[in-house]
Amino acid sequence: MNRNQFIKTSIFGTLAFSIVSNFSFISIQEMYTRDQLIGKGNPDIIGDTYTSKMQKDTKVAFQKMKNEAAKEGVNIEVVSAYRSFEKQKQIFENKYRQFISEGLSPTDAITKIIEYSTIPGTSRHHWGTDIDIIDANAPRPESVLEEEHFYGDGPYCKLKEWLNEHSEKFGFYEVYTNNPERKGFKYEPWHFSYAPVSKPMLQEYKKLDILKVFQEEKILGNEYFTSDFIENYRSQNILNINPELL
Ligand SMILES: [Zn+2]
């Protein structure tokens, strides 16, 4: 290669690199807006009911997994999929009002709520990539999402065994695992996440100032969220999950 050719090639290379890197920067920025990350409007959500609304790629992958499971007599049923910010706000604020009326302090009320529920704007269900699933072919217990149903001779053992063996092939990973070292939300053997989409979403989500979101959205009790509380919630409830999803 002579000098001129070398210069042309390197200029072209640099130019191409900068176009590609700018392009991916822009597309990530545009792919996940603040509102999309907190469940306030996402053009990629398809479906029309509480249990069928999902992010579009998640839905395609879910359907493939469901079809495969059906061949072995497992009828995967979604009990919760995409959940909007407004819906989560209702759940959170109803509990908050109830606990305050029972005499709890605002801080104790918030601590009690987050044993089982998320603060609006922080649920992975806002992304449309996460689903709670059971087996529609099994006898249906009164309350379906209980750990005991997924083990021993519980009705959802067959589903759980099938998922342990196959779900990751379809991109679905358990989020809140049974690791005793894990803090934050309790073990949820029914909650799965579509990693190819939820992983990049989490990376974008980590850049959000969640306290600012709580304040901007005027979530009931937001004046009691201290910076220590937010730091713990972020490291334990949001990030202390299956490492495969980080
Ligand atoms: Zn869930």
Side-chain angles (χ1 to χ4, degrees):
M1 188 190 292
N2 67 32
R3 189 169 177 272
N4 271 349
Q5 267 177 324
F6 173 76
I7 290 171
K8 272 187 207 153
T9 318
S10 10
I11 288 175
F12 179 73
T14 314
L15 197 64
F17 176 74
S18 76
I19 291 170
V20 168
S21 54
N22 275 337
F23 175 73
S24 52
F25 176 71
I26 291 165
S27 60
I28 285 173
Q29 290 280 301
E30 286 176 352
M31 230 195 283
Y32 306 119
T33 62
R34 167 199 183 271
D35 282 1
Q36 214 166 359
L37 293 167
I38 67 167
K40 290 199 76 176
N42 185 343
D44 295 339
I45 302 295
I46 53 171
D48 43 23
T49 63
Y50 187 66
T51 54
S52 72
K53 275 188 183 168
M54 284 178 215
Q55 188 273 341
K56 57 184 185 200
D57 303 329
T58 307
K59 197 167 177 97
V60 172
F62 171 73
Q63 200 53 50
K64 282 187 193 154
M65 180 166 81
K66 184 176 162 70
N67 293 346
E68 202 58 32
K71 293 179 190 165
E72 291 182 44
V74 174
N75 184 1
I76 305 182
E77 178 188 338
V78 176
V79 292
S80 184
Y82 170 73
R83 197 179 304 146
S84 71
F85 180 90
E86 284 312 317
K87 175 84 187 171
Q88 194 66 34
K89 191 166 190 267
Q90 253 173 31
I91 296 172
F92 180 88
E93 294 189 343
N94 283 344
K95 288 192 177 180
Y96 185 83
R97 286 193 193 92
Q98 183 202 327
F99 292 147
I100 294 292
S101 75
E102 288 169 10
L104 260 63
S105 72
T107 333
D108 287 346
I110 294 163
T111 309
K112 192 165 172 183
I113 298 170
I114 64 166
E115 277 177 30
Y116 294 99
S117 304
T118 54
I119 304 172
T122 71
S123 172
R124 295 179 62 96
H125 284 283
H126 290 331
W127 303 343
T129 55
D130 285 41
I131 49 178
D132 297 333
I133 47 185
I134 59 168
D135 182 357
N137 283 351
R140 201 180 187 94
E142 206 173 310
S143 164
V144 290
L145 302 183
E146 305 283 349
E147 189 185 325
E148 69 203 45
H149 302 328
F150 293 76
Y151 287 95
D153 18 287
Y156 302 141
C157 281
K158 189 174 172 187
L159 164 75
K160 191 64 188 165
E161 275 163 26
W162 190 90
L163 291 168
N164 286 345
E165 204 177 327
H166 303 284
S167 78
E168 295 182 4
K169 280 192 297 220
F170 296 91
F172 288 92
Y173 288 75
E174 201 178 61
V175 179
Y176 307 109
T177 57
N178 199 13
N179 175 357
E181 303 290 303
R182 206 177 52 74
K183 298 198 172 75
F185 295 115
K186 298 202 163 114
Y187 177 43
E188 294 192 0
W190 53 83
H191 184 129
F192 282 77
S193 181
Y194 184 58
V197 179
S198 68
K199 275 174 79 162
M201 285 190 93
L202 179 63
Q203 293 315 309
E204 280 302 291
Y205 190 88
K206 279 158 71 176
K207 299 174 191 164
L208 273 186
D209 178 345
I210 55 170
L211 180 57
K212 192 163 162 246
V213 171
F214 299 156
Q215 290 163 346
E216 286 166 352
E217 301 297 334
K218 300 184 173 59
I219 291 161
L220 211 56
N222 79 74
E223 65 270 38
Y224 301 102
F225 296 130
T226 62
S227 47
D228 276 358
F229 170 82
I230 296 290
E231 194 35 54
N232 272 338
Y233 186 78
R234 193 181 136 81
S235 62
Q236 299 183 356
N237 298 61
I238 298 176
L239 296 175
N240 206 331
I241 56 173
N242 183 348
E244 301 276 359
L245 289 167
L246 293 171

